[in-house]
Amino acid sequence: MTTANYLTHPRGIRSWLLTLDHKRIGIMYLVSTLAAFSLGGLFAMIVRTQLLSPNGAIFTVAKDYDHYNQMFTLHGAIMIFLVLIPGVPGALGNFVLPLMLGARDVAFPRLNLFSYYLYVSGALIVILSIILGAVDTGWTFYTPYSSDPDIGSRDAVSLMVFGIFILGFSSILTGMNFIVTIHKLRPSPPNGMTWFRMPLFLWSLYATAVIQILATPILGITLLLLIMERTLHVGIFSPRFGGDPILFQHFFWFYSHPAVYIMILPAMGIMSEVIPTFSRKPIFGYHFVAISSLAIAIIGFLVWGHHMFPNGQSTLLSTIFSFLTMCVAIPSAIKVWNWLATMYKGSISLKTPMCYALAFLFLFTLGGLSGIYLGSLSLNVHVHDTYFVVAHFHFVMFGGTLMGFLSGLHYWWPKMTGKLYNENPARLACALIFLGFNTTFLPQFLLGSHGMPRRSATYLPEFAPYHILSSLGAGIQLLGFILAAAVLIHSLFRGRQSPPNPWGAATLEWSCPSPPPHDNFSTPPLVGDPYDHANLVWISDQEGYRRSQEPEARSQKSQT
Amino acid sequence: MPNPLHLLSQQSPVDKFFLPPSSSNLARDFDWGWNFVLGSTAFFFMIVVVVMCIFIIKYRRRGPNEQTPVITRNIPLEVMWTGIPLALVMAIFFVGFKGFINYDTPQSDCRPVQVVASKWTFDFTYPNGSMDKNLYLEKGIPTLLNITSSDVLHGVYIPAFRTQRNAIFGRTTQIWFIPEQLSPPFINAQNPGGFNLFCTQYCGQGHSKMITHVYVLNKEDYDRKMIELANPFKDAATGKWIPYVKVGQRFFNQSCISCHNVTGAPGSIGPTWKGLWKSKVTFSYSNVLGYTLSPSDSDKKWEAYIRESVLDPGAKIVAGFPNSMPPQPQFSGNTLNDEKFHALLAYIKSVGSLPYTPEFTPEKNPDLFNADAKHPYHPESLAAKGKGGQGEGVTR
């Protein structure tokens, strides 16, 4: 490739740090979230190592349990606020959204860069809070433990909470940018991008952005109130100052429940791209998948109380929340059925992104179904705050979001870097992660249903076999992640040049070269059906697919 | 540890794989609902996985340009796979709702037990006014726990009963149940038997050790236990007086052991008791300006210090340790509780080590170590002195 692409135009560190190019900002998000993921993963490995022994393998005396508590808090806070929430929208979404839409950039490129630097600042403050005295409150910051230093945590809670407050603004600005971009920058008709010609990844990013804008401010206010109570003793959440600790839980989950949909919806969008592409078949039930994203975004706002059934919430509220929780299961189920139906009579290719997508289907289905137990009122009472919950949200957040993220990363990697990676080692890494994941988290369902409380530095000897198995699984996962990273890094230096469309996908980002040029599209591209794979033919000397007809000609043909 | 009583319960092997022993009226309902959800979710999971595997094999790609049929929608199929799961989750909702209303609505004839959760112990106060760190229940008697917290949030969770509730400062929450199976019996400190009671709401350093035991007893044992709790100095079974140091040791094992030790091993949350009596202590905080305590100080001063540390632990903080101990009101307020404090003090003195000789030894103070001996704090001695000692009078 002799023409300049976005990676080489222009050159220099300054051109990266001050770039307004959505693709470069996406890459910077990717590097940052992967770094944060490594840090969060390190804390997870410390947690799992500690739990190898009933009395703790690292922190063996009671005074050191604080350090264990800090480890799981940092693992949770970093994975949630620095990896899962910004991961797919910030890294993959930023890179792919304008390309998929047929636009040259997002609506507000400067805001996009500002949002990235807010993310970096927030992340640095969080890391500073770790250095100044790691926080041990759990990522949920439940009051009064977090808000009343006299009876609760004396660590740098205010600082970490302030970092997360800043991260919230990054999330809001990204969401706003995406909404405006999708509304205003679609190529205009004729042959433009209509709402129902949008790839489903964009629908899911849109639904995510709506949640980010509406829910994140609540978290921001709540965290500010927490800091106020901690420093000024204003009575809001701590009963000692006349506050109500349950109020904090309502505020917190009003954001944090929708936030799990901020995390999972973009991953679902990736599924809706990867599964049709590697089945070489249009998505089944496009409208149902698209609308179910919005349904999840809307109903997802009304279920926060299911985190609080035995926490002193009124029976009526609990009943309503349980009912709505059961309802929110349905749109996710619709998506799973439609993905399965997409594979029916398809031409299924088990390339790495598809392997991760199938792992997603398996793990997310299991995770989603375990949510039925937690959403049911009386069953929740037994498994509430046990390892069952830990297993459930790792299945949906790790088995769901992270598998989706890895699927998307391997799917768009040739587009982002212009390099093809080695398929077989990448598939082996996927298999290791899948195997390790199940070894880690399936035993945790049993731990929970047998009554093992979460966030415990030590445990009763009868739980030991499950915990040892679980830690073993974490080791397998670590191997898998190291291998996956090695494969991708290897491809950067030794990978073959990728053709524009290596997978045979019909969305617009595959119609420009890999990596894309600085301006994406010199002229607004002709928009066709995003899942019209039959129009793509394999060109063996290019090792890629190419459109056999332009969309315009094809749409005319299909009308006749 | 295999528990012989588990074999007697009526759980199926599937139940035992997924759930702890089932021992209350709530647990019976719960297990039915659990199996219903387990069956239906397993069914749907199998459909997804089996269909996925069949498709992967049957429709594997045979060439890069393989043509596939264009199938984009099927409304009856969409209605079906929306409708059937919806009907099922609604059924699950009603099962859960019914169980929850039962969990949330105590029977009117419950026997109340007050539960105070604090960092990091539980205190149970029984209808006869006595207090203990373990929960004793009578089989077949509906029991209501009135739960509150003295500091941060805690949880009261009894897996065998399938029930839990959070403990909240300034509020009282409730759980109720009818224990239906006797618990495994207490054998010794290493093998304490009983059902587990966990704190489930994260509460800081000692959270994972905030575990106590629930003993479900038959009427005879329960009544005897209540008498014993009301007068911890007398063995309710034999009617004999229990040695003072032994009583103190029992208090230590029930509660203090979660933060203190008597072995001198480093790393405990609170100062070790080994050699504590008349040891050299430095304070990081004291409510009295210039307060010091040295081995040469009088017994009276030391006793006052230890009493204060039990009742108002924040008053003086030993250097190097956090101010995290909750007050222990069960050691003050009436003659009996005062006596319990002295038993605890006797135990503290008995675990003294070199270079400090234990204040009390079996040789020097046979009356404190021998059963049935008359010692200064013996309820009968107190009664004889006319101090209004209640002794046995408070058993009921």
Side-chain angles (χ1 to χ4, degrees):
Chain A
M1 281 287 176
T2 50
T3 52
N5 60 49
Y6 82 99
L7 291 168
T8 54
H9 170 86
R11 289 176 184 278
I13 187 81
R14 210 180 124 86
S15 76
W16 275 87
L17 293 180
L18 298 177
T19 183
L20 300 180
D21 183 351
H22 70 95
K23 299 183 287 301
R24 287 190 166 189
I25 294 173
I27 296 291
M28 294 198 294
Y29 262 114
L30 183 66
V31 173
S32 314
T33 48
L34 289 179
F37 177 75
S38 311
L39 190 61
L42 173 74
F43 290 129
M45 292 311 295
I46 296 174
V47 165
R48 282 310 335 161
T49 311
Q50 160 78 359
L51 295 175
L52 272 170
S53 156
N55 279 319
I58 306 175
F59 311 115
T60 49
V61 289
K63 260 186 182 173
D64 292 342
Y65 296 163
D66 279 340
H67 299 309
Y68 172 82
N69 299 337
Q70 289 161 352
M71 290 303 123
F72 74 69
T73 301
L74 296 174
H75 166 67
I78 288 177
M79 286 300 194
I80 300 270
F81 296 110
L82 295 180
V83 179
L84 292 173
I85 287 178
V88 182
L92 300 178
N94 251 322
F95 189 94
V96 174
L97 180 134
L99 286 167
M100 265 191 165
L101 207 58
R104 296 175 72 155
D105 209 319
V106 291
F108 305 117
R110 275 169 214 284
L111 201 61
N112 201 12
L113 184 67
F114 180 56
S115 148
Y116 173 72
Y117 281 113
L118 280 180
Y119 169 79
V120 173
S121 320
L124 289 178
I125 294 176
V126 168
I127 289 165
L128 184 68
S129 80
I130 297 174
I131 295 164
L132 291 182
V135 176
D136 72 336
T137 59
W139 78 274
T140 49
F141 303 110
Y142 267 20
T143 55
Y145 189 77
S146 61
S147 67
D148 190 341
D150 289 338
I151 56 173
S153 176
R154 291 156 183 280
D155 300 329
V157 179
S158 296
L159 194 63
M160 176 175 250
V161 160
F162 183 66
I164 290 166
F165 175 76
I166 302 221
L167 287 170
F169 278 97
S170 165
S171 186
I172 294 170
L173 295 180
T174 301
M176 197 176 80
N177 219 337
F178 284 2
I179 287 185
V180 177
T181 308
I182 289 175
H183 272 277
K184 304 304 287 183
L185 295 190
R186 282 174 291 134
S188 47
N191 286 311
M193 179 71 79
T194 60
W195 280 95
F196 288 105
R197 271 184 180 175
M198 282 200 321
L200 287 164
F201 184 51
L202 298 187
W203 273 98
S204 70
L205 282 179
Y206 185 84
T208 308
V210 170
I211 309 175
Q212 282 176 311
I213 288 187
L214 293 180
T216 317
I218 312 292
L219 179 75
I221 293 163
T222 310
L223 296 181
L224 278 192
L225 290 175
L226 179 67
I227 296 174
M228 272 172 66
E229 177 160 291
R230 215 179 147 75
T231 52
L232 306 173
H233 294 329
V234 180
I236 299 158
F237 302 128
S238 174
R240 293 203 321 141
F241 308 131
D244 181 355
I246 306 300
L247 179 69
F248 177 85
Q249 297 178 20
H250 278 290
F251 281 173
F252 182 81
W253 290 115
F254 186 84
Y255 165 76
S256 293
H257 195 77
V260 306
Y261 296 110
I262 294 179
M263 302 175 225
I264 193 70
L265 273 172
M268 289 171 157
I270 293 171
M271 290 302 103
S272 305
E273 300 305 321
V274 170
I275 290 175
T277 300
F278 292 93
S279 303
R280 207 170 151 70
K281 219 168 137 269
I283 184 91
F284 188 90
Y286 175 95
H287 291 79
F288 292 91
V289 179
I291 301 301
S292 65
S293 290
L294 292 183
I296 287 175
I298 294 163
I299 307 174
F301 266 103
L302 306 173
V303 300
W304 77 88
H306 68 207
H307 295 265
M308 302 158 58
F309 291 155
N311 291 23
Q313 178 179 251
S314 84
T315 312
L316 178 65
L317 272 183
S318 293
T319 306
I320 294 169
F321 281 126
S322 171
F323 179 82
L324 290 165
T325 303
M326 291 298 170
C327 295
V328 86
I330 297 302
S332 300
I334 292 175
K335 282 176 187 285
V336 170
W337 297 128
N338 281 297
W339 292 328
L340 273 184
T342 304
M343 289 162 63
Y344 173 66
K345 288 195 171 175
S347 164
I348 299 171
S349 152
L350 291 179
K351 291 273 198 302
T352 312
M354 187 62 169
C355 291
Y356 280 110
L358 295 172
F360 174 101
L361 261 185
F362 182 97
L363 301 175
F364 178 75
T365 304
L366 192 56
L369 288 171
S370 65
I372 304 270
Y373 296 72
L374 293 164
S376 159
L377 286 162
S378 67
L379 299 193
N380 178 286
V381 170
H382 174 57
V383 288
H384 185 86
D385 272 338
T386 66
Y387 262 76
F388 194 91
V389 180
V390 177
H392 162 72
F393 70 66
H394 279 91
F395 262 86
V396 286
M397 291 293 98
F398 185 157
T401 305
L402 207 68
M403 287 294 167
F405 177 78
L406 287 170
S407 176
L409 184 65
H410 284 84
Y411 180 59
W412 284 301
W413 186 262
K415 181 57 62 186
M416 290 169 146
T417 63
K419 303 289 183 185
L420 293 170
Y421 48 83
N422 277 337
E423 280 291 340
N424 282 337
R427 276 188 282 224
L428 177 65
C430 174
L432 279 176
I433 293 171
F434 179 75
L435 179 75
F437 180 88
N438 283 302
T439 317
T440 309
F441 293 107
L442 282 176
Q444 294 190 3
F445 278 123
L446 293 176
L447 275 175
S449 65
H450 282 281
M452 163 89 203
R454 64 193 283 203
R455 296 176 171 172
S456 296
T458 58
Y459 51 87
L460 299 177
E462 66 217 52
F463 296 125
Y466 303 105
H467 270 300
I468 291 168
L469 200 58
S470 187
S471 296
L472 183 77
I476 301 175
Q477 284 181 69
L478 181 66
L479 288 180
F481 278 110
I482 290 173
L483 181 58
V487 170
L488 291 180
I489 291 169
H490 175 264
S491 79
L492 287 180
F493 300 101
R494 298 285 174 84
R496 282 175 295 132
Q497 174 64 39
S498 167
N501 194 349
W503 313 125
T507 44
L508 289 178
E509 76 271 25
W510 302 102
S511 65
C512 59
S514 304
H518 176 68
D519 284 337
N520 298 355
F521 304 99
S522 45
T523 55
L526 296 175
V527 180
D529 182 340
Y531 299 106
D532 182 15
H533 303 101
N535 187 22
L536 294 154
V537 289
W538 174 257
I539 311 292
S540 50
D541 61 335
Q542 284 186 7
E543 292 186 80
Y545 287 84
R546 226 169 52 190
R547 278 178 176 173
S548 60
Q549 288 168 305
E550 282 308 304
E552 192 179 14
R554 190 169 168 82
S555 62
Q556 279 168 2
K557 197 183 103 191
S558 63
Q559 278 163 14
T560 53
Chain B
M1 258 165 278
N3 170 353
L5 279 173
H6 293 187
L7 304 173
L8 299 176
S9 69
Q10 293 135 4
Q11 285 185 309
S12 70
V14 175
D15 287 342
K16 268 185 250 169
F17 181 72
F18 284 106
L19 295 167
S22 162
S23 315
S24 76
N25 60 325
L26 301 175
R28 257 189 296 120
D29 285 359
F30 174 92
D31 290 5
W32 185 86
W34 176 275
N35 287 334
F36 176 58
V37 178
L38 186 67
S40 35
T41 51
F43 173 72
F44 277 98
F45 182 64
M46 286 318 291
I47 291 185
V48 170
V49 172
V50 168
V51 168
M52 188 171 90
C53 291
I54 290 175
F55 285 1
I56 293 170
I57 296 164
K58 195 167 174 199
Y59 304 122
R60 65 187 178 278
R61 185 168 292 186
R62 293 179 168 86
N65 283 324
E66 200 176 359
Q67 286 303 308
T68 56
V70 176
I71 310 167
T72 54
R73 70 163 79 181
N74 183 330
I75 301 292
L77 202 57
E78 298 277 358
V79 171
M80 188 192 82
W81 68 39
T82 308
I84 293 175
L86 186 64
L88 192 72
V89 292
M90 285 302 117
I92 292 171
F93 164 73
F94 277 109
V95 170
F97 174 65
K98 198 167 156 282
F100 191 72
I101 292 300
N102 188 23
Y103 150 85
D104 214 38
T105 317
Q107 221 165 286
S108 58
D109 57 346
C110 282
R111 179 183 284 164
V113 174
Q114 179 73 30
V115 185
V116 178
S118 50
K119 292 193 302 185
W120 291 280
T121 57
F122 297 99
D123 288 296
F124 300 96
T125 307
Y126 294 92
N128 69 356
S130 56
M131 244 172 150
D132 199 68
K133 298 285 178 183
N134 289 324
L135 178 57
Y136 295 98
L137 301 168
E138 185 177 340
K139 184 185 164 189
I141 299 295
T143 306
L144 176 70
L145 303 186
N146 290 307
I147 303 162
T148 192
S149 160
S150 68
D151 40 49
V152 296
L153 298 177
H154 297 280
V156 175
Y157 173 39
I158 311 170
F161 295 172
R162 314 283 190 269
T163 190
Q164 71 170 306
R165 204 53 128 180
N166 275 15
I168 306 160
F169 182 98
R171 279 201 206 182
T172 299
T173 53
Q174 297 185 322
I175 49 178
W176 82 285
F177 42 76
I178 307 173
E180 291 185 340
Q181 309 268 342
L182 294 180
S183 60
F186 176 89
I187 297 163
N188 54 37
Q190 282 72 45
N191 195 358
F195 299 123
N196 294 318
L197 188 153
F198 296 103
C199 170
T200 39
Q201 190 63 269
Y202 174 70
C203 53
Q205 194 177 52
H207 169 59
S208 66
K209 293 285 189 197
M210 194 166 161
I211 303 172
T212 186
H213 299 101
V214 180
Y215 295 100
V216 181
L217 310 170
N218 58 34
K219 181 166 170 43
E220 195 181 299
D221 290 342
Y222 178 81
D223 287 347
R224 188 187 300 143
K225 194 74 205 175
M226 285 301 116
I227 294 170
E228 188 183 306
L229 291 183
N231 184 354
F233 296 89
K234 195 164 182 177
D235 187 326
T238 62
K240 287 197 167 182
W241 293 100
I242 301 170
Y244 239 59
V245 171
K246 276 259 161 61
V247 175
Q249 185 179 25
R250 215 179 61 202
F251 295 148
F252 170 78
N253 283 332
Q254 281 173 4
S255 157
C256 321
I257 197 167
S258 60
C259 300
H260 300 276
N261 66 39
V262 290
T263 60
S268 57
I269 294 171
T272 181
W273 286 6
K274 187 175 186 183
L276 171 68
W277 182 255
K278 300 251 175 130
S279 63
K280 195 160 167 48
V281 187
T282 51
F283 297 103
S284 60
Y285 168 79
S286 165
N287 56 349
V288 178
L289 207 60
Y291 179 87
T292 54
L293 194 62
S294 69
S296 56
D297 280 329
S298 67
D299 282 13
K300 209 175 146 196
K301 189 172 177 186
W302 269 90
E303 184 180 322
Y305 162 67
I306 288 178
R307 185 192 297 272
E308 186 181 49
S309 299
V310 170
L311 302 179
D312 182 12
K316 295 179 178 64
I317 305 298
V318 178
F321 292 93
N323 175 14
S324 61
M325 177 173 159
Q328 305 292 325
Q330 69 271 32
F331 293 109
S332 81
N334 60 41
T335 318
L336 177 72
N337 287 349
D338 198 44
E339 219 185 309
K340 282 158 75 177
F341 170 73
H342 280 100
L344 193 69
L345 188 65
Y347 180 64
I348 290 176
K349 290 178 179 180
S350 77
V351 294
S353 66
L354 290 174
Y356 310 108
T357 322
E359 173 80 6
F360 294 155
T361 62
E363 292 74 36
K364 280 200 311 194
N365 311 79
D367 52 340
L368 296 191
F369 286 84
N370 294 339
D372 244 1
K374 292 277 194 278
H375 50 65
Y377 306 112
H378 194 291
E380 285 172 24
S381 312
L382 291 171
K385 279 184 204 164
K387 283 187 179 174
Q390 292 169 329
E392 289 169 290
V394 294
T395 50
R396 275 286 170 188

